[in-house]
Amino acid sequence: MHKHLKNLIIFSALCFNTSFAIAQIQTFDHLKVDSLTFAETKAVINKIPNDKFEKRIYKHKNTELPYRLLFPKNYDIKKKYPVVITFHNSTRIGNDNEKQLEPLSKIWLRPEIYENYNCFVIAPQFNERSSNYLANENGLLLSKPGEKINLVLDLLNEIEAKYTNIDQSKIYLVGYSMGASTAQNLLSLAPQKFAAVVSIAAVPDFSNLKAMKRKSILLIHGQKDVENPYKGSAELFEQLKMSKKITFKTFTELNHDTINIPLLLSAEIPEWLFKQHK
């Protein structure tokens, strides 16, 4: 083989491999959570009062969507702020406008987070499942949006119209379990609205992979999760191959109940989100 041609082939192969290597990020964390750590972490979060989250109800025709709204600390109408929408899991379904403030919503009230990551936080509550699961021909669970998910888009439009200092390039979705599936559903339905998603222990949505490849996505899942099986996130990561914006973090020793614990007293989620933009 001609020397120059051979060198060109080798160089091209190296470029391809490097490109593939940087296209996705996958990490493995072997952290274990014992019962004491679990209880102490939940106790810290549960002690945080909810009163800074204003109680509101979005009304559309004959339908109501309870939600909570957190304003940025020292809110200044002249400043631009991101928006974080947090989605609750299935145990928080209801209409009391209270239960949806699960730990992933309340981390935004932790003093160091509230001080350093100024943003609006919207926490809607659904009175029925916001995401439904069904198995495909290979037995893999997939998620489909619930009937009321479009109310969140309508609510967001209303809030954007009222608070014109929202940073349109930094609207984020965060969820755990059913809430994470809902976040993926909403991203698939309206990708133009959102900059990034943090999806924790979701059943995946494969309906709009083309759009998802262009979005910043942080997938987090416990390898020992049997409720929303880990293989769903693993398959989504595989389907989004060559996306330069997806990170898949696996906790090898955690299950569905313990997966949130390492995230509640750290700044990992806000820190990652605030680096993302459209």
Side-chain angles (χ1 to χ4, degrees), residues 82-86 104 108 119-123 170-174 273-274:
V83 173
V84 177
I85 306 176
T86 65
L104 278 176
W108 300 95
C119 61
F120 291 92
V121 181
I122 304 170
K170 293 185 175 182
I171 300 178
Y172 307 127
L173 303 170
V174 178
L273 276 178
F274 274 50

mmCIF file of all heavy atoms in Angstrom, residues 82-86 104 108 119-123 170-174 273-274:
data_model
loop_
_atom_site.group_PDB
_atom_site.id
_atom_site.type_symbol
_atom_site.label_atom_id
_atom_site.label_comp_id
_atom_site.label_asym_id
_atom_site.label_seq_id
_atom_site.Cartn_x
_atom_site.Cartn_y
_atom_site.Cartn_z
ATOM 1 N N PRO A 82 -33.016 31.224 34.604
ATOM 2 C CA PRO A 82 -33.442 29.928 34.060
ATOM 3 C C PRO A 82 -34.741 29.465 34.719
ATOM 4 O O PRO A 82 -35.174 30.010 35.742
ATOM 5 C CB PRO A 82 -32.293 28.987 34.430
ATOM 6 C CG PRO A 82 -31.152 29.859 34.819
ATOM 7 C CD PRO A 82 -31.753 31.122 35.350
ATOM 8 N N VAL A 83 -35.338 28.426 34.132
ATOM 9 C CA VAL A 83 -36.523 27.773 34.702
ATOM 10 C C VAL A 83 -36.231 26.281 34.832
ATOM 11 O O VAL A 83 -35.729 25.661 33.895
ATOM 12 C CB VAL A 83 -37.769 27.968 33.810
ATOM 13 C CG1 VAL A 83 -38.943 27.139 34.346
ATOM 14 C CG2 VAL A 83 -38.156 29.432 33.732
ATOM 15 N N VAL A 84 -36.550 25.734 35.984
ATOM 16 C CA VAL A 84 -36.462 24.292 36.204
ATOM 17 C C VAL A 84 -37.875 23.773 36.466
ATOM 18 O O VAL A 84 -38.569 24.276 37.359
ATOM 19 C CB VAL A 84 -35.556 23.953 37.409
ATOM 20 C CG1 VAL A 84 -35.537 22.438 37.650
ATOM 21 C CG2 VAL A 84 -34.145 24.477 37.192
ATOM 22 N N ILE A 85 -38.298 22.784 35.685
ATOM 23 C CA ILE A 85 -39.592 22.141 35.921
ATOM 24 C C ILE A 85 -39.311 20.759 36.495
ATOM 25 O O ILE A 85 -38.599 19.959 35.888
ATOM 26 C CB ILE A 85 -40.414 22.011 34.630
ATOM 27 C CG1 ILE A 85 -40.561 23.382 33.944
ATOM 28 C CG2 ILE A 85 -41.806 21.437 34.937
ATOM 29 C CD1 ILE A 85 -41.279 23.316 32.605
ATOM 30 N N THR A 86 -39.841 20.489 37.685
ATOM 31 C CA THR A 86 -39.605 19.204 38.334
ATOM 32 C C THR A 86 -40.881 18.362 38.300
ATOM 33 O O THR A 86 -41.976 18.874 38.568
ATOM 34 C CB THR A 86 -39.145 19.386 39.791
ATOM 35 O OG1 THR A 86 -40.194 19.981 40.566
ATOM 36 C CG2 THR A 86 -37.915 20.276 39.872
ATOM 37 N N LEU A 104 -36.365 15.873 45.057
ATOM 38 C CA LEU A 104 -35.716 16.538 43.931
ATOM 39 C C LEU A 104 -36.248 17.948 43.687
ATOM 40 O O LEU A 104 -35.583 18.755 43.038
ATOM 41 C CB LEU A 104 -35.880 15.707 42.659
ATOM 42 C CG LEU A 104 -34.902 14.548 42.478
ATOM 43 C CD1 LEU A 104 -35.247 13.762 41.235
ATOM 44 C CD2 LEU A 104 -33.466 15.035 42.418
ATOM 45 N N TRP A 108 -33.787 22.524 45.656
ATOM 46 C CA TRP A 108 -33.623 23.920 45.232
ATOM 47 C C TRP A 108 -33.824 24.893 46.390
ATOM 48 O O TRP A 108 -33.538 26.093 46.251
ATOM 49 C CB TRP A 108 -34.576 24.221 44.074
ATOM 50 C CG TRP A 108 -34.291 23.341 42.912
ATOM 51 C CD1 TRP A 108 -34.898 22.157 42.592
ATOM 52 C CD2 TRP A 108 -33.267 23.522 41.927
ATOM 53 N NE1 TRP A 108 -34.330 21.604 41.482
ATOM 54 C CE2 TRP A 108 -33.321 22.409 41.048
ATOM 55 C CE3 TRP A 108 -32.312 24.525 41.714
ATOM 56 C CZ2 TRP A 108 -32.455 22.275 39.963
ATOM 57 C CZ3 TRP A 108 -31.450 24.391 40.630
ATOM 58 C CH2 TRP A 108 -31.526 23.286 39.771
ATOM 59 N N CYS A 119 -33.019 30.652 40.071
ATOM 60 C CA CYS A 119 -33.891 30.233 38.976
ATOM 61 C C CYS A 119 -35.334 30.164 39.471
ATOM 62 O O CYS A 119 -35.596 30.154 40.674
ATOM 63 C CB CYS A 119 -33.471 28.863 38.445
ATOM 64 S SG CYS A 119 -33.553 27.530 39.667
ATOM 65 N N PHE A 120 -36.255 30.126 38.520
ATOM 66 C CA PHE A 120 -37.634 29.768 38.825
ATOM 67 C C PHE A 120 -37.710 28.236 38.885
ATOM 68 O O PHE A 120 -37.078 27.544 38.087
ATOM 69 C CB PHE A 120 -38.585 30.238 37.721
ATOM 70 C CG PHE A 120 -38.767 31.721 37.605
ATOM 71 C CD1 PHE A 120 -37.958 32.474 36.755
ATOM 72 C CD2 PHE A 120 -39.761 32.369 38.328
ATOM 73 C CE1 PHE A 120 -38.144 33.848 36.628
ATOM 74 C CE2 PHE A 120 -39.951 33.738 38.211
ATOM 75 C CZ PHE A 120 -39.143 34.477 37.364
ATOM 76 N N VAL A 121 -38.488 27.710 39.814
ATOM 77 C CA VAL A 121 -38.741 26.278 39.864
ATOM 78 C C VAL A 121 -40.251 26.063 39.829
ATOM 79 O O VAL A 121 -40.984 26.623 40.651
ATOM 80 C CB VAL A 121 -38.148 25.605 41.116
ATOM 81 C CG1 VAL A 121 -38.421 24.096 41.082
ATOM 82 C CG2 VAL A 121 -36.650 25.861 41.205
ATOM 83 N N ILE A 122 -40.705 25.282 38.860
ATOM 84 C CA ILE A 122 -42.124 24.963 38.716
ATOM 85 C C ILE A 122 -42.316 23.486 39.051
ATOM 86 O O ILE A 122 -41.639 22.624 38.487
ATOM 87 C CB ILE A 122 -42.612 25.227 37.283
ATOM 88 C CG1 ILE A 122 -42.340 26.670 36.859
ATOM 89 C CG2 ILE A 122 -44.102 24.909 37.157
ATOM 90 C CD1 ILE A 122 -42.565 26.940 35.372
ATOM 91 N N ALA A 123 -43.231 23.208 39.972
ATOM 92 C CA ALA A 123 -43.492 21.821 40.382
ATOM 93 C C ALA A 123 -44.975 21.518 40.212
ATOM 94 O O ALA A 123 -45.780 21.745 41.118
ATOM 95 C CB ALA A 123 -43.058 21.597 41.822
ATOM 96 N N LYS A 170 -32.559 28.593 28.651
ATOM 97 C CA LYS A 170 -32.224 27.759 29.805
ATOM 98 C C LYS A 170 -33.484 27.301 30.541
ATOM 99 O O LYS A 170 -33.734 27.667 31.687
ATOM 100 C CB LYS A 170 -31.306 28.512 30.768
ATOM 101 C CG LYS A 170 -29.923 28.799 30.200
ATOM 102 C CD LYS A 170 -29.009 29.447 31.226
ATOM 103 C CE LYS A 170 -27.605 29.618 30.683
ATOM 104 N NZ LYS A 170 -26.696 30.200 31.703
ATOM 105 N N ILE A 171 -34.287 26.523 29.848
ATOM 106 C CA ILE A 171 -35.469 25.919 30.462
ATOM 107 C C ILE A 171 -35.201 24.426 30.583
ATOM 108 O O ILE A 171 -34.928 23.751 29.592
ATOM 109 C CB ILE A 171 -36.737 26.201 29.650
ATOM 110 C CG1 ILE A 171 -36.960 27.713 29.546
ATOM 111 C CG2 ILE A 171 -37.948 25.521 30.289
ATOM 112 C CD1 ILE A 171 -38.165 28.117 28.718
ATOM 113 N N TYR A 172 -35.260 23.928 31.820
ATOM 114 C CA TYR A 172 -34.788 22.577 32.120
ATOM 115 C C TYR A 172 -35.906 21.688 32.669
ATOM 116 O O TYR A 172 -36.851 22.167 33.304
ATOM 117 C CB TYR A 172 -33.668 22.637 33.166
ATOM 118 C CG TYR A 172 -32.531 23.560 32.835
ATOM 119 C CD1 TYR A 172 -32.113 24.554 33.735
ATOM 120 C CD2 TYR A 172 -31.835 23.447 31.631
ATOM 121 C CE1 TYR A 172 -31.044 25.393 33.455
ATOM 122 C CE2 TYR A 172 -30.770 24.288 31.336
ATOM 123 C CZ TYR A 172 -30.375 25.262 32.254
ATOM 124 O OH TYR A 172 -29.323 26.090 31.956
ATOM 125 N N LEU A 173 -35.754 20.385 32.449
ATOM 126 C CA LEU A 173 -36.693 19.384 32.957
ATOM 127 C C LEU A 173 -35.941 18.418 33.871
ATOM 128 O O LEU A 173 -34.857 17.945 33.522
ATOM 129 C CB LEU A 173 -37.307 18.602 31.794
ATOM 130 C CG LEU A 173 -38.039 19.422 30.730
ATOM 131 C CD1 LEU A 173 -38.369 18.542 29.528
ATOM 132 C CD2 LEU A 173 -39.305 20.043 31.298
ATOM 133 N N VAL A 174 -36.549 18.127 35.030
ATOM 134 C CA VAL A 174 -35.933 17.218 35.992
ATOM 135 C C VAL A 174 -37.001 16.273 36.528
ATOM 136 O O VAL A 174 -38.120 16.699 36.843
ATOM 137 C CB VAL A 174 -35.303 17.987 37.181
ATOM 138 C CG1 VAL A 174 -34.718 17.009 38.202
ATOM 139 C CG2 VAL A 174 -34.228 18.951 36.696
ATOM 140 N N LEU A 273 -26.901 21.296 35.209
ATOM 141 C CA LEU A 273 -27.949 21.980 34.456
ATOM 142 C C LEU A 273 -27.530 23.378 34.022
ATOM 143 O O LEU A 273 -27.746 23.758 32.867
ATOM 144 C CB LEU A 273 -29.224 22.083 35.304
ATOM 145 C CG LEU A 273 -30.153 20.897 35.319
ATOM 146 C CD1 LEU A 273 -31.326 21.160 36.251
ATOM 147 C CD2 LEU A 273 -30.681 20.556 33.924
ATOM 148 N N PHE A 274 -26.958 24.120 34.937
ATOM 149 C CA PHE A 274 -26.679 25.523 34.647
ATOM 150 C C PHE A 274 -25.560 25.720 33.611
ATOM 151 O O PHE A 274 -25.333 26.835 33.146
ATOM 152 C CB PHE A 274 -26.350 26.285 35.930
ATOM 153 C CG PHE A 274 -27.572 26.790 36.633
ATOM 154 C CD1 PHE A 274 -28.644 25.959 36.907
ATOM 155 C CD2 PHE A 274 -27.674 28.117 37.034
ATOM 156 C CE1 PHE A 274 -29.800 26.421 37.538
ATOM 157 C CE2 PHE A 274 -28.800 28.606 37.666
ATOM 158 C CZ PHE A 274 -29.868 27.753 37.922
#
